[in-house]
Amino acid sequence: MYRYKEVYSDIKRDILRNHYRAGTLMPTQDELAKKYNISRITLRKSLDLLIDEGLIHTQQGSGTYVRPQLDENSPELLPLDLPIGTTYSHRDQKITSKILFFGARLPSEIEQKNLKVKANEPVYEIKRVRLRDNKIYSYEHTIMPTRIAPLDETILKGTIYGYLGGKMKIFMTDARRVVYAESASKESAQALNVDEGASLLVIEQIAYDQKGEAFEYSKSRFDENHSKFVIDIHRNEFW
């Protein structure tokens, strides 16, 4: 594993464990480079990964800060412009999963196209209800190539991204997301405990790892009470 990824993983773990608390100033880059015995260039690559995940942000002339999390009473979703999942975007809350279906099958044509797999390559099909502080938050339908990693129900009840990153060293570095509205089908209505035909927000996603390979095709559905989301915009150049 590359050194910058090891440092990224170590700092990320410290953030998630509140060693570096939300809203606080992190050690300087010189201090971090000295701590990990790496160059400033290597450290910068580690910090860039953390910035991409929305875990930290920099302020020119001030330093690097741990990004505050969304208000736990807010119905906002994960930031749509950052490659992170529900567990990381709501770190101050208890995120759990109820598994509705888990199995393996051959991919459909659209799954073959989005995941770049062949018709005879098996994929996992996962249907989960995600709960935030024991309240229904979303209904996820996820497709993953089985070659990516061995999965079981214990892993699915927690964070799949956490398992992939920690155990398999597979990190989501990019994602293509399409957001649209639809009426709740019988299946999604039952999963979200809403009326059939109710308005839902859908986030359709193709997730890519650090090698640029697609490893997930998913649709996450939210009812109208959880359909507010946020995109942070940062302007680097002025004209």
Side-chain angles (χ1 to χ4, degrees):
M1 186 177 183
Y2 293 113
R3 182 61 176 148
Y4 78 92
K5 290 183 180 177
E6 293 177 348
V7 173
Y8 148 79
S9 297
D10 194 72
I11 297 175
K12 178 177 179 177
R13 182 169 56 250
D14 284 342
I15 292 173
L16 297 180
R17 291 177 177 175
N18 282 328
H19 178 70
Y20 299 130
R21 300 188 67 83
T24 62
L25 182 66
M26 292 186 62
T28 66
Q29 292 190 23
D30 285 336
E31 291 171 335
L32 289 171
K34 183 177 180 180
K35 174 182 177 180
Y36 292 106
N37 192 28
I38 57 175
S39 68
R40 285 281 298 271
I41 294 175
T42 299
L43 175 67
R44 188 63 208 177
K45 293 174 71 175
S46 304
L47 297 181
D48 284 344
L49 291 177
L50 295 167
I51 290 172
D52 287 343
E53 286 201 21
L55 295 174
I56 64 173
H57 66 101
T58 59
Q59 293 184 13
Q60 188 172 4
S62 179
T64 302
Y65 291 82
V66 179
R67 185 182 290 277
Q69 296 309 292
L70 300 174
D71 184 347
E72 64 180 16
N73 295 317
S74 169
E76 289 177 310
L77 311 181
L78 65 152
L80 292 181
D81 59 332
L82 299 173
I84 57 177
T86 303
T87 301
Y88 292 153
S89 63
H90 296 84
R91 298 196 305 273
D92 296 330
Q93 299 170 47
K94 180 182 178 183
I95 302 297
T96 54
S97 301
K98 178 183 178 182
I99 303 171
L100 303 181
F101 178 83
F102 174 51
R105 58 168 173 77
L106 295 178
S108 66
E109 289 188 8
I110 190 171
E111 292 162 359
Q112 293 172 46
K113 177 182 177 182
N114 289 333
L115 292 172
K116 306 301 183 199
V117 295
K118 297 179 180 178
N120 62 351
E121 291 185 59
V123 294
Y124 290 120
E125 181 176 19
I126 306 160
K127 296 181 180 181
R128 301 190 298 174
V129 173
R130 306 304 302 277
L131 298 102
R132 188 178 66 180
D133 289 337
N134 298 316
K135 296 181 180 180
I136 293 175
Y137 179 62
S138 66
Y139 169 45
E140 295 180 354
H141 184 195
T142 303
I143 307 296
M144 285 185 171
T146 58
R147 60 176 167 74
I148 294 295
L151 298 180
D152 57 37
E153 292 200 2
T154 299
I155 295 168
L156 301 185
K157 288 179 180 178
T159 164
I160 298 178
Y161 292 166
Y163 164 74
L164 292 177
K167 186 75 172 179
M168 309 303 297
K169 307 306 178 186
I170 297 173
F171 302 94
M172 179 169 67
T173 58
D174 297 280
R176 181 177 188 271
R177 291 176 178 142
V178 179
V179 182
Y180 56 91
E182 72 173 19
S183 298
S185 65
K186 182 178 180 179
E187 179 179 293
S188 56
Q190 290 177 343
L192 292 169
N193 194 25
V194 298
D195 293 333
E196 189 172 347
S199 297
L200 301 181
L201 174 79
V202 183
I203 300 178
E204 185 174 347
Q205 170 175 283
I206 304 174
Y208 301 89
D209 64 17
Q210 64 269 34
K211 296 179 181 179
E213 298 178 355
F215 69 91
E216 175 199 88
Y217 172 54
S218 65
K219 291 183 181 181
S220 297
R221 293 173 169 87
F222 306 81
D223 71 25
E224 59 185 358
N225 294 317
H226 297 123
S227 58
K228 182 180 179 184
F229 53 90
V230 60
I231 299 178
D232 291 327
I233 303 298
H234 179 69
R235 185 177 179 184
N236 292 312
E237 299 181 358
F238 300 89
W239 60 85

